[in-house]
Amino acid sequence: MADKPISRFPVPALDDMPEDIRDTILGVQEKAGFIPNVFLTLAHRPDEFRAFMAYHDALMEKDSGLSQADREMIIVATSNDNNCLYCVVAHGAILRIRAKDALIADQVATNYRKADITPRQKAMLDFAMKVSNNARAVGDEDFATLHSHGFSDEDIWDIAGVTSFFGLSNRMANVTSMRPNDEFYMMGRG
Amino acid sequence: MADKPISRFPVPALDDMPEDIRDTILGVQEKAGFIPNVFLTLAHRPDEFRAFMAYHDALMEKDSGLSQADREMIIVATSNDNNCLYCVVAHGAILRIRAKDALIADQVATNYRKADITPRQKAMLDFAMKVSNNARAVGDEDFATLHSHGFSDEDIWDIAGVTSFFGLSNRMANVTSMRPNDEFYMMGRG
Amino acid sequence: MADKPISRFPVPALDDMPEDIRDTILGVQEKAGFIPNVFLTLAHRPDEFRAFMAYHDALMEKDSGLSQADREMIIVATSNDNNCLYCVVAHGAILRIRAKDALIADQVATNYRKADITPRQKAMLDFAMKVSNNARAVGDEDFATLHSHGFSDEDIWDIAGVTSFFGLSNRMANVTSMRPNDEFYMMGRG
Amino acid sequence: MADKPISRFPVPALDDMPEDIRDTILGVQEKAGFIPNVFLTLAHRPDEFRAFMAYHDALMEKDSGLSQADREMIIVATSNDNNCLYCVVAHGAILRIRAKDALIADQVATNYRKADITPRQKAMLDFAMKVSNNARAVGDEDFATLHSHGFSDEDIWDIAGVTSFFGLSNRMANVTSMRPNDEFYMMGRG
Amino acid sequence: MADKPISRFPVPALDDMPEDIRDTILGVQEKAGFIPNVFLTLAHRPDEFRAFMAYHDALMEKDSGLSQADREMIIVATSNDNNCLYCVVAHGAILRIRAKDALIADQVATNYRKADITPRQKAMLDFAMKVSNNARAVGDEDFATLHSHGFSDEDIWDIAGVTSFFGLSNRMANVTSMRPNDEFYMMGRG
Amino acid sequence: MADKPISRFPVPALDDMPEDIRDTILGVQEKAGFIPNVFLTLAHRPDEFRAFMAYHDALMEKDSGLSQADREMIIVATSNDNNCLYCVVAHGAILRIRAKDALIADQVATNYRKADITPRQKAMLDFAMKVSNNARAVGDEDFATLHSHGFSDEDIWDIAGVTSFFGLSNRMANVTSMRPNDEFYMMGRG
């Protein structure tokens, strides 16, 4: 499938990228063994690339009351609801690895209510789905429900932040027809 | 995960099943190497079990202008739209095997518009989604579109039949919390 | 209206049908005084015909905590929600007869919340509508609500089964443009 | 069923009504043989009663490129879509009488796309459904489609007017739980 | 912008209007300083004009447990939900004046849940939104909620009446492309 | 209204902010005459603040085939569709100023199809609404439509980028109950 386009927009060669972006990408490649296509697709717009990655890291690499697996669950559940192929496949892989669970990503993507997760995680995903689809109606009763599951206000911000940021990502991936790397499909299933 | 319930309803022991149902199930087990949970879940209702399997076979094992992979694609796409975990996981496995393609099921489940399939298959899935969500509005123009992709009226019945039957299946699987066997997740990914 | 087509697909002559199907149809005709068009429409596909009728009978003729009128209400309410002309008209007739109530079918079809039915029946129809439109979200709280109205788990399976089966039927009737027999419109109104 | 309430709000006795309203109601009763419950329900609010009836007559009794049967079809189709029991039952009766067709009301209510009506009438009802559900998006292309079916701009106003007025009526009937008179169910079926 | 059409239908000259309609309009002009375009647009249909204005006054000028500002809030919230430009702009102006609050109209139009209004007003608007979008499901529990906020049954009729009438108005304004007068945009902001 | 909270989360004092963020905010204050509340609300999370502002500037201050008024229109139309009070009020103000048009923001927010904008701008907003609500279905035909209005592929990325970024912003503003500054309501109306 190496000949399938990874974006419907131009994808710059590594040599043509600004140095900081090339360095970022080479760093990821060294760690992951391949370059996730989101990096190449967004490198078409260097300033947006930088802001996107900074936002991603601010949400995903911070300390939080949400584990990294929790955050990946939010991405996988809302991305399938938004029918974003790139995000479900790529973050499904990361979720399997973070949660050390080969089945969890397909469960959470398809119907988190039937997944092998805790009631606390289901409440977290209920809220993420509301932020994704009906943020207009988020209010005190949602905060109360989440508090009753042990989430702090800061955790709630984190749920909303991850959901909202990947809502952006889902939309851009769908518009650009961003193609997930073949490598992601099998990661963490072993 | 062997201790997770496969249905929220009682699941009969093989020895307690009517002989024809036990025979069917043992036949499947011999072929597949395990018993898909849909057989055990529905065995709770022997008459419904028999009708369900007969209907399934009438649609899925007949000769058709739709290949078996085509029919599995319909199941996978509409089942994810209905958020049916059992059907996406089990038929995703069968689709990978039928299509000899390790990536196809995740693509078709998440967003068939971005999948590595033909325009004819996309038209087939567009129609399947309309049958699933808005059959009330199916009319001449849908038939004309499908004809233009080379589908006959009989093929159109087949698309509608597979979609409608698995719409039934999706609803029963969601109400019974039917659990996909762990084996399905990895089948056909090799 | 005898010249209006009853299906957009070919309808076999009685003489051309497999014997078991012809016998079934002649039996229905003897009892009802006419042949409901669903039999003729589906006879185009003998194997599907047999499975459809077996499934129908498994759900509709079994003993159940749901009366036969209850089951017809489920069909009428969800079929109008799916805008299925055949099912609303044909099962509306059967509902009037089963419930010995000339008004009940139009009430349940149009807005069951305003119909002359019991709170238990309204809870049954609330659940049927959820199975029809949002089975993905069916869970413990739905079972608890139905238990509080005296429904057993087996009754809940029956509600789900009838809803899901007629969801299949609604979709096939809409795709085939299955025409209800004129006779149904007046049955049970007297 | 004479003891079923016709409204969840107080219903005035004829003797307690303002004279003009009582006269209107007695006139209707003389013509129809009974008093349609909408008159009694709305008589609770005399000023709204008068405006409602004046609006009704301005739309329904005027000369128009839409026949009176056409206008009743609009009411029946959109009222079922709004799940208004009173309007479907009462105007279904009037439609049967106006169109001299015992089957037409159930067809148009359940799925007008499958009804025995002309393509022009289907286009009219397509537009009525758009006005009812998505008036925000009505634009030039809708006018062009309707012109191509022979509707003038004045006819289009009439379609929109009837749809909008009965949208009001549907909402008030649902909020007041306005009960259709038993007489309506059988009218025009003979 | 004086050359922008105020309606896609013909707008009669004042001199060509029936005398009572011209008098009404001149009266409004004297009070408001300009003629709101709804009067000119609807004057194309004198009988509908008269009924519309009578209905409007019956709901909006009566004594009620709802203040006039309350009633304008209902109009503004539901009209934005229906994307009716005329009604949001014109009644937004009136709301600012009635409530003596320069910010209230934009708040209520955009998201009343975030507006500077009372919990009682939020409950009123929750119900108005349900009447507008889902009147089919209005029932006892809605009445109970509103009673708990101090609304009487008569107040509830008023909420439903205003919502339903302006639902009519929203649809007609969208179909006619009724243009709000430029004057409205600034009224009450000072 | 100075005592109304601007966020349901803690808002840091200027003195407690990291220096770069304080400098950014003081710079904005000097230019605008006040500190827009989005800066104060997001300052609660410095890393997210920095990424948000960088992303904003990358999309909003770049050269583009979309004018700055075009970009503000996208924000205003999609933010009202998402019922985001902060974004409609704040970016409505900026739109009025950028477009030098006192009426444009209320028009575009309420129903852009009725706004005084060009067909090209309507096509742009049609696409923005699709990206916001149904990005899953964006495909070749959308690109073709936009090309026919003179948009380049890079312009299409810009429409998608602005829509997606403000979709994030809308969700965070609704979850945090971010309050628009009173100053925005009147800006550009003069």
Side-chain angles (χ1 to χ4, degrees):
Chain A
M1 305 268 166
D3 55 340
K4 294 274 168 46
I6 65 174
S7 166
R8 65 184 303 155
F9 288 87
V11 174
L14 275 171
D15 286 351
D16 298 335
M17 294 177 187
E19 196 176 336
D20 63 312
I21 291 181
R22 186 169 55 241
D23 287 353
T24 297
I25 289 180
L26 292 175
V28 171
Q29 185 179 32
E30 190 168 312
K31 218 160 82 176
F34 64 98
I35 305 173
N37 289 336
V38 64
F39 290 88
L40 298 173
T41 300
L42 295 185
H44 176 57
R45 295 281 184 106
D47 288 343
E48 296 170 43
F49 177 103
R50 292 179 190 106
F52 183 95
M53 297 305 162
Y55 216 139
H56 176 278
D57 292 354
L59 291 162
M60 300 301 290
E61 303 196 349
K62 71 185 285 280
D63 287 331
S64 164
L66 311 181
S67 70
Q68 287 190 302
D70 286 344
R71 283 175 265 180
E72 295 296 333
M73 275 183 206
I74 294 169
I75 301 168
V76 169
T78 57
S79 295
N80 188 56
D81 191 55
N82 283 330
N83 298 113
C84 177
L85 181 59
Y86 186 88
C87 301
V88 170
V89 170
H91 288 276
I94 304 174
L95 172 55
R96 286 189 295 271
I97 290 168
R98 295 273 192 240
K100 302 184 200 309
D101 182 338
L103 310 188
I104 193 75
D106 295 342
Q107 292 175 353
V108 167
T110 312
N111 192 345
Y112 67 90
R113 300 170 198 84
K114 309 294 184 184
D116 296 323
I117 58 177
T118 64
R120 183 180 182 272
Q121 288 169 325
K122 287 184 190 173
M124 173 186 80
L125 295 175
D126 283 341
F127 181 67
M129 296 295 266
K130 185 167 183 180
V131 171
S132 182
N133 289 313
N134 197 22
R136 61 183 63 75
V138 166
D140 293 345
E141 60 295 348
D142 299 298
F143 279 69
T145 300
L146 290 165
H147 291 160
S148 78
H149 284 278
F151 291 104
S152 68
D153 276 5
E154 294 306 312
D155 297 336
I156 295 173
W157 178 302
D158 289 342
I159 301 171
V162 172
T163 302
S164 301
F165 177 75
F166 282 92
L168 178 166
S169 185
N170 292 170
R171 286 170 177 77
M172 289 308 294
N174 266 323
V175 172
T176 59
S177 290
M178 195 188 294
R179 182 180 174 83
N181 306 61
D182 292 4
E183 288 86 344
F184 283 125
Y185 289 80
M186 272 301 293
M187 284 168 60
R189 293 194 183 273
Chain B
M1 307 264 165
D3 55 341
K4 294 274 168 48
I6 65 174
S7 165
R8 66 183 303 155
F9 288 87
V11 174
L14 275 171
D15 286 351
D16 299 334
M17 294 177 186
E19 196 176 334
D20 64 311
I21 291 181
R22 186 169 55 241
D23 286 353
T24 297
I25 289 180
L26 293 174
V28 171
Q29 185 179 31
E30 191 168 314
K31 220 161 79 176
F34 65 98
I35 306 172
N37 289 336
V38 65
F39 289 89
L40 299 172
T41 300
L42 295 185
H44 176 57
R45 293 279 184 109
D47 289 343
E48 296 170 44
F49 177 102
R50 292 181 189 105
F52 183 96
M53 297 305 161
Y55 216 138
H56 176 278
D57 292 354
L59 290 163
M60 300 302 291
E61 303 197 348
K62 72 185 286 279
D63 287 332
S64 164
L66 310 182
S67 70
Q68 287 191 301
D70 286 344
R71 284 174 266 180
E72 295 295 334
M73 273 183 209
I74 294 169
I75 301 168
V76 169
T78 57
S79 295
N80 188 56
D81 191 54
N82 283 330
N83 299 111
C84 177
L85 180 60
Y86 187 88
C87 302
V88 170
V89 170
H91 287 276
I94 304 175
L95 172 54
R96 286 189 294 271
I97 291 169
R98 295 275 192 236
K100 300 183 201 310
D101 181 338
L103 311 187
I104 193 76
D106 294 342
Q107 292 176 352
V108 167
T110 311
N111 192 344
Y112 68 89
R113 300 170 198 83
K114 309 295 183 185
D116 297 321
I117 59 176
T118 64
R120 180 180 184 273
Q121 288 169 325
K122 286 183 190 173
M124 174 185 81
L125 295 175
D126 283 341
F127 180 68
M129 296 295 265
K130 185 167 183 180
V131 171
S132 183
N133 289 314
N134 197 22
R136 61 184 61 76
V138 166
D140 293 345
E141 60 295 348
D142 300 298
F143 279 70
T145 300
L146 290 164
H147 291 161
S148 78
H149 283 278
F151 292 103
S152 68
D153 275 6
E154 294 304 314
D155 297 337
I156 296 173
W157 179 301
D158 289 343
I159 302 171
V162 171
T163 302
S164 301
F165 177 75
F166 282 91
L168 178 165
S169 186
N170 291 170
R171 285 170 177 78
M172 289 308 293
N174 266 324
V175 172
T176 59
S177 291
M178 196 188 292
R179 182 181 174 83
N181 306 61
D182 292 3
E183 288 86 345
F184 283 125
Y185 288 81
M186 271 301 293
M187 284 170 59
R189 294 195 182 272
Chain C
M1 306 269 165
D3 54 342
K4 294 274 167 48
I6 65 174
S7 166
R8 65 184 303 155
F9 288 87
V11 174
L14 275 171
D15 286 351
D16 298 335
M17 294 178 188
E19 195 175 336
D20 63 311
I21 291 180
R22 186 168 56 241
D23 287 353
T24 297
I25 289 180
L26 293 174
V28 171
Q29 185 178 31
E30 190 168 314
K31 220 161 80 177
F34 64 98
I35 305 173
N37 289 337
V38 64
F39 290 88
L40 299 172
T41 300
L42 295 184
H44 176 56
R45 294 282 184 104
D47 288 344
E48 296 170 42
F49 177 103
R50 292 180 190 105
F52 184 95
M53 297 306 163
Y55 217 138
H56 176 278
D57 293 354
L59 290 164
M60 300 301 290
E61 303 196 349
K62 72 185 286 281
D63 287 332
S64 166
L66 310 182
S67 70
Q68 287 192 301
D70 285 345
R71 283 174 266 180
E72 295 295 334
M73 274 183 208
I74 294 170
I75 301 169
V76 169
T78 57
S79 294
N80 188 57
D81 191 55
N82 282 330
N83 299 113
C84 177
L85 180 60
Y86 186 89
C87 302
V88 170
V89 170
H91 288 276
I94 304 174
L95 172 55
R96 286 189 294 271
I97 291 168
R98 295 274 192 238
K100 301 184 200 310
D101 182 339
L103 311 187
I104 192 76
D106 294 342
Q107 292 175 353
V108 167
T110 311
N111 192 344
Y112 68 89
R113 299 170 198 83
K114 308 295 184 184
D116 296 322
I117 59 176
T118 64
R120 182 182 183 271
Q121 287 169 324
K122 287 184 190 174
M124 175 185 80
L125 295 175
D126 283 341
F127 180 67
M129 296 294 266
K130 185 167 183 180
V131 171
S132 182
N133 289 314
N134 196 22
R136 60 184 62 76
V138 167
D140 294 345
E141 60 294 348
D142 300 298
F143 279 69
T145 300
L146 290 164
H147 291 160
S148 79
H149 284 278
F151 292 103
S152 68
D153 276 7
E154 294 306 312
D155 297 336
I156 296 173
W157 178 302
D158 290 341
I159 302 171
V162 172
T163 302
S164 301
F165 177 74
F166 282 92
L168 178 165
S169 185
N170 292 170
R171 286 170 177 78
M172 290 307 295
N174 266 323
V175 172
T176 59
S177 291
M178 195 188 294
R179 181 181 175 82
N181 306 62
D182 291 4
E183 288 86 344
F184 282 125
Y185 289 80
M186 271 301 293
M187 284 169 59
R189 294 195 183 272
Chain D
M1 307 266 163
D3 55 340
K4 294 275 167 49
I6 65 173
S7 165
R8 63 183 305 154
F9 287 87
V11 174
L14 275 172
D15 286 351
D16 298 336
M17 295 178 186
E19 195 176 335
D20 63 312
I21 291 181
R22 186 170 54 241
D23 286 352
T24 298
I25 289 180
L26 292 175
V28 172
Q29 185 179 29
E30 189 168 315
K31 216 160 83 177
F34 65 98
I35 305 173
N37 290 335
V38 64
F39 290 88
L40 298 173
T41 300
L42 296 185
H44 176 55
R45 294 279 184 109
D47 288 342
E48 296 170 43
F49 178 102
R50 293 181 189 103
F52 183 95
M53 297 306 162
Y55 216 138
H56 176 279
D57 292 353
L59 290 162
M60 299 302 291
E61 303 197 349
K62 73 185 285 279
D63 287 332
S64 164
L66 311 182
S67 71
Q68 287 191 302
D70 286 345
R71 283 174 266 180
E72 295 295 333
M73 274 184 207
I74 293 170
I75 301 169
V76 169
T78 57
S79 294
N80 188 56
D81 192 54
N82 282 331
N83 299 112
C84 178
L85 180 60
Y86 187 88
C87 302
V88 170
V89 170
H91 287 276
I94 304 174
L95 172 55
R96 287 189 294 270
I97 290 168
R98 296 273 192 238
K100 301 184 201 308
D101 182 338
L103 311 187
I104 193 75
D106 294 342
Q107 292 175 352
V108 167
T110 311
N111 191 344
Y112 68 89
R113 300 170 198 83
K114 309 295 184 185
D116 297 322
I117 58 176
T118 64
R120 181 181 183 273
Q121 288 169 325
K122 287 184 190 173
M124 174 185 80
L125 295 175
D126 283 342
F127 180 67
M129 295 295 264
K130 186 167 182 180
V131 171
S132 182
N133 289 314
N134 196 22
R136 61 183 62 76
V138 167
D140 293 345
E141 60 294 349
D142 299 299
F143 279 70
T145 300
L146 290 165
H147 291 161
S148 79
H149 283 279
F151 291 103
S152 68
D153 275 6
E154 294 304 314
D155 297 336
I156 296 173
W157 178 301
D158 289 342
I159 302 172
V162 172
T163 303
S164 301
F165 177 75
F166 282 91
L168 178 165
S169 185
N170 291 170
R171 285 170 177 79
M172 289 307 293
N174 267 323
V175 172
T176 59
S177 291
M178 196 188 292
R179 182 180 175 83
N181 306 61
D182 292 3
E183 288 87 343
F184 283 125
Y185 289 80
M186 271 301 293
M187 283 168 60
R189 294 195 181 273
Chain E
M1 305 268 167
D3 55 340
K4 293 275 166 48
I6 66 173
S7 166
R8 65 183 303 154
F9 287 87
V11 174
L14 275 171
D15 286 350
D16 298 335
M17 294 178 188
E19 196 176 336
D20 63 313
I21 292 181
R22 186 170 54 241
D23 287 352
T24 297
I25 289 180
L26 293 175
V28 171
Q29 186 178 30
E30 189 168 314
K31 219 162 81 177
F34 64 99
I35 305 173
N37 289 336
V38 64
F39 289 88
L40 298 173
T41 300
L42 295 185
H44 176 55
R45 295 281 185 105
D47 288 343
E48 297 170 43
F49 177 102
R50 292 180 190 106
F52 183 95
M53 297 306 163
Y55 217 138
H56 176 278
D57 292 353
L59 291 162
M60 299 302 290
E61 303 196 349
K62 73 186 284 281
D63 287 331
S64 166
L66 311 181
S67 70
Q68 287 191 303
D70 286 344
R71 283 174 266 180
E72 295 296 333
M73 275 184 208
I74 294 170
I75 301 169
V76 169
T78 57
S79 295
N80 188 56
D81 191 54
N82 283 331
N83 299 112
C84 177
L85 180 60
Y86 186 88
C87 302
V88 170
V89 170
H91 287 276
I94 304 174
L95 172 55
R96 286 189 294 271
I97 291 168
R98 296 272 192 239
K100 301 184 201 308
D101 181 340
L103 310 187
I104 194 74
D106 294 342
Q107 292 176 353
V108 167
T110 311
N111 192 344
Y112 67 90
R113 299 169 198 85
K114 309 294 183 185
D116 296 322
I117 58 176
T118 65
R120 182 179 182 273
Q121 287 169 326
K122 287 185 190 172
M124 174 186 80
L125 295 175
D126 283 341
F127 181 67
M129 295 295 266
K130 186 167 183 179
V131 172
S132 182
N133 289 314
N134 197 22
R136 62 184 61 75
V138 167
D140 293 345
E141 60 294 349
D142 299 298
F143 279 69
T145 300
L146 290 165
H147 291 160
S148 78
H149 283 278
F151 291 104
S152 68
D153 276 6
E154 294 306 313
D155 297 337
I156 296 174
W157 179 301
D158 289 341
I159 302 172
V162 172
T163 302
S164 301
F165 177 74
F166 282 92
L168 178 165
S169 184
N170 291 170
R171 286 170 177 78
M172 290 307 294
N174 266 323
V175 172
T176 58
S177 291
M178 195 189 293
R179 182 180 175 83
N181 306 61
D182 291 4
E183 288 86 345
F184 283 124
Y185 288 80
M186 271 301 294
M187 284 168 59
R189 294 194 183 274
Chain F
M1 306 269 162
D3 55 341
K4 293 275 167 47
I6 65 172
S7 165
R8 65 183 304 155
F9 287 87
V11 175
L14 275 172
D15 285 352
D16 298 335
M17 294 178 186
E19 195 176 335
D20 63 313
I21 292 181
R22 187 170 53 242
D23 287 352
T24 297
I25 289 180
L26 293 175
V28 171
Q29 186 179 30
E30 189 168 315
K31 218 161 79 177
F34 64 98
I35 305 173
N37 289 336
V38 65
F39 289 88
L40 298 173
T41 300
L42 295 184
H44 176 57
R45 294 281 185 107
D47 288 343
E48 296 170 43
F49 177 102
R50 292 181 189 104
F52 184 95
M53 297 306 161
Y55 216 138
H56 176 278
D57 292 353
L59 290 163
M60 299 302 290
E61 303 196 349
K62 73 185 285 280
D63 287 331
S64 165
L66 311 181
S67 70
Q68 286 191 303
D70 286 344
R71 283 174 267 180
E72 295 296 333
M73 274 183 208
I74 294 170
I75 301 169
V76 169
T78 58
S79 295
N80 188 56
D81 191 54
N82 283 330
N83 299 112
C84 177
L85 180 60
Y86 186 88
C87 302
V88 170
V89 170
H91 288 275
I94 304 175
L95 172 54
R96 286 189 294 270
I97 291 168
R98 295 274 192 238
K100 300 182 203 307
D101 181 338
L103 310 187
I104 193 74
D106 294 341
Q107 292 176 352
V108 167
T110 311
N111 192 344
Y112 68 89
R113 300 170 199 84
K114 309 294 184 185
D116 297 320
I117 58 176
T118 64
R120 182 180 182 273
Q121 288 169 325
K122 286 183 191 174
M124 174 185 80
L125 295 176
D126 283 341
F127 180 67
M129 295 295 265
K130 186 167 183 180
V131 171
S132 182
N133 289 314
N134 197 22
R136 61 184 61 75
V138 167
D140 293 344
E141 61 294 349
D142 299 298
F143 279 70
T145 300
L146 290 164
H147 291 161
S148 79
H149 284 278
F151 292 104
S152 68
D153 276 6
E154 295 305 313
D155 297 336
I156 296 173
W157 179 301
D158 289 342
I159 302 172
V162 172
T163 302
S164 301
F165 177 75
F166 282 92
L168 178 166
S169 184
N170 292 170
R171 286 170 177 78
M172 290 308 293
N174 266 323
V175 172
T176 59
S177 292
M178 196 188 293
R179 182 180 174 85
N181 306 60
D182 292 3
E183 288 85 345
F184 283 126
Y185 289 81
M186 271 301 293
M187 284 168 60
R189 293 194 183 273

